[in-house]
Amino acid sequence: MTSAVYFDNNGTTALDPRVLQAMLPYLSQQQGNATSRHAFGRGARNAINQAREQVADAVGAHPSQVIFTGGGTEADNLAITGVANAQSTGRIAIGSLEHPAVSRAADALKWQGWKLAHIDSNTQGQVEASALRNVLQQRTDMVSVMLANNETGVIQDIATLGEIAREHGAYMHTDAVQALGKINVDFSALNVHAMSLSSHKIHGPQGAGALILDKRIDLRPLLYGGGQERALRSGSENIAAIVGFGLACQLASAEGQSRQQALSAMRGQLEQGLHALGATIFGASASRLPNTSFFAFDGIEGETLVMALDRQGFAVASGSACSSDSTEPSHVLLAMGVNPDLARGAIRVSLGQDNQPEQVAAFLLTLERELTRLRKLTAVAV
Ligand code: PLP
């Protein structure tokens, strides 16, 4: 593509060339349908089973606990709507900082008569045990809190929250889409019944993901059909994507430590520069993913800065959601009690395995230049 520097790895990641190689045969030759009994079908089934083992190994789960889905959104929806559909009405409690794949699925349960509660976060974006305990004073059937936030990178103590949910007899789900590949994720240690994963955040292909599920949980599928994935996700499997996801998981585990060290060194370099430029870094005192920095500068619009940086060849994300005629500040920052004016300035740099320290250094120089230019423009306008 272009020679632009890509700093939006929480949005999506580039396909690892080794993953592409592993996928190619499943895209270019007749591989059969995994439900068929002939040799082609058996080959496809074996490939899926190998990927199932790779995903399970990467997150400390048993292969039988892996349900392949069409991505993280579907895994979140299956975890929430699937459980809700298996019982009549109830009460669900979710974190205030959840991704829309969780929060909108929970919102939709209200149409089925479910009650919805939000669990507060503190100013660092952490869900404290006391906040969950407060919400659980009322009988609650289901709890969902993400393992790591996509905007701030703040990591939650899911093992403790999961234990509290279990003490109260609630089913516990965590969205680990952003955590996978960036920190160690161990399903068996997290005290959860279900955990969502996505392939394209770890240099695998888009359109594949998984729900890791405690087999004792009663769940209704979102899709009915041929009974694939233990009848929890019917439909002919996307074999190439599943194969790619499996290998991406294996590579993320094998190379996790060195990737995490490199990311954290680059993030340290970045944030040192950001501090010198006067940035506010959100969630800075909390434990965070090693690749993510979410920050703002007083008086500078996030969207404007994102576009200015894009013109200079740096792809970063803003923290705002653009609706038809307004720019809404990030719901995550508002839930953390950040002033809406400052929140409107938020931009996110999310580093990845293809980034280099030289790119971070070049980014800081460009950022300084653009900030000076934008401040001059603002001063003239005033
Ligand atoms: N959950 C979180 C925390 C995410 O960041 C994302 C993607 O941005 C998703 C879920 C959705 O995953 P997918 O894009 O695979 O549907």
Side-chain angles (χ1 to χ4, degrees):
M1 259 226 327
T2 63
S3 59
V5 174
Y6 187 78
F7 279 162
D8 192 14
N9 287 276
N10 286 8
T12 193
T13 55
L15 196 62
D16 188 305
R18 295 167 291 181
V19 171
L20 174 63
Q21 281 310 314
M23 291 171 67
L24 279 177
Y26 297 92
L27 293 165
S28 56
Q29 295 157 22
Q30 173 54 271
Q31 294 298 332
N33 186 313
T35 52
S36 303
R37 296 264 175 239
H38 48 61
F40 291 91
R42 287 198 302 278
R45 169 111 339 259
N46 289 343
I48 292 172
N49 285 341
Q50 187 190 339
R52 199 182 302 287
E53 280 175 24
Q54 289 167 317
V55 173
D57 280 355
V59 296
H62 190 270
S64 64
Q65 295 175 312
V66 178
I67 300 160
F68 284 118
T69 64
T73 301
E74 193 190 322
D76 283 340
N77 276 261
L78 181 59
I80 289 169
T81 315
V83 168
N85 287 349
Q87 63 182 79
S88 48
T89 58
R91 181 172 190 257
I92 176 169
I94 64 166
S96 312
L97 316 171
E98 297 304 305
H99 187 275
V102 164
S103 61
R104 301 240 163 99
D107 272 342
L109 293 190
K110 289 195 279 186
W111 302 330
Q112 291 172 225
W114 277 68
K115 292 206 166 43
L116 170 62
H118 287 96
I119 313 159
D120 288 341
S121 89
N122 64 19
T123 56
Q124 290 302 309
Q126 294 155 315
V127 176
E128 291 176 14
S130 56
L132 178 59
R133 281 211 172 88
N134 255 342
V135 168
L136 293 184
Q137 279 174 5
Q138 264 186 60
R139 159 135 191 81
T140 303
D141 304 273
M142 206 186 315
V143 175
S144 181
V145 178
M146 69 207 312
L147 181 49
N149 186 265
N150 43 304
E151 295 186 8
T152 58
V154 169
I155 299 166
Q156 306 295 346
D157 180 0
I158 293 298
T160 299
L161 301 178
E163 198 175 304
I164 296 169
R166 276 173 191 259
E167 278 165 16
H168 287 76
Y171 155 85
M172 175 82 190
H173 164 252
T174 192
D175 176 334
V177 164
Q178 291 292 344
L180 183 65
K182 298 173 193 144
I183 54 172
N184 296 338
V185 176
D186 183 353
F187 181 68
S188 59
L190 282 175
N191 283 328
V192 297
H193 298 101
M195 177 171 88
S196 307
L197 306 175
S198 175
S199 152
H200 72 104
K201 310 289 186 183
I202 58 162
H203 301 278
Q206 294 174 342
L211 185 66
I212 311 298
L213 183 70
D214 179 333
K215 286 174 81 179
R216 290 165 296 188
I217 297 299
D218 188 15
L219 194 87
R220 293 283 177 279
L222 305 179
L223 304 175
Y224 293 90
Q228 290 88 345
E229 298 299 301
R230 300 201 339 255
L232 290 172
R233 206 285 186 175
S234 283
S236 298
E237 295 91 343
N238 184 350
I239 301 169
I242 289 173
V243 164
F245 179 30
L247 181 57
C249 279
Q250 191 181 51
L251 294 171
S253 307
E255 299 167 7
Q257 221 176 349
S258 58
R259 284 188 200 179
Q260 287 163 26
Q261 277 165 2
L263 289 171
S264 133
M266 274 190 288
R267 209 263 307 268
Q269 175 195 358
L270 172 70
E271 293 199 344
Q272 205 179 353
L274 291 177
H275 278 303
L277 293 172
T280 301
I281 299 173
F282 303 112
S285 312
S287 160
R288 282 179 298 153
L289 297 175
N291 77 320
T292 307
S293 198
F294 197 36
F295 54 92
F297 297 93
D298 258 336
I300 303 282
E301 269 293 319
E303 285 294 318
T304 310
L305 189 52
V306 166
M307 285 186 285
L309 290 167
D310 185 43
R311 279 193 295 273
Q312 300 302 319
F314 292 94
V316 303
S318 84
S320 312
C322 293
S323 57
S324 50
D325 53 3
S326 69
T327 305
E328 295 298 324
S330 144
H331 79 282
V332 171
L333 294 182
L334 296 185
M336 289 164 64
V338 174
N339 174 312
D341 284 337
L342 185 62
R344 254 184 218 98
I347 71 170
R348 180 187 69 191
V349 168
S350 48
L351 304 163
Q353 69 183 37
D354 299 328
N355 293 133
Q356 305 297 331
E358 301 73 46
Q359 295 175 326
V360 174
F363 173 75
L364 287 168
L365 288 176
T366 304
L367 181 61
E368 183 170 19
R369 222 177 37 235
E370 288 303 310
L371 285 172
T372 309
R373 189 180 65 79
L374 291 172
R375 284 193 178 118
K376 268 192 201 141
L377 286 180
T378 320
V380 170
V382 175

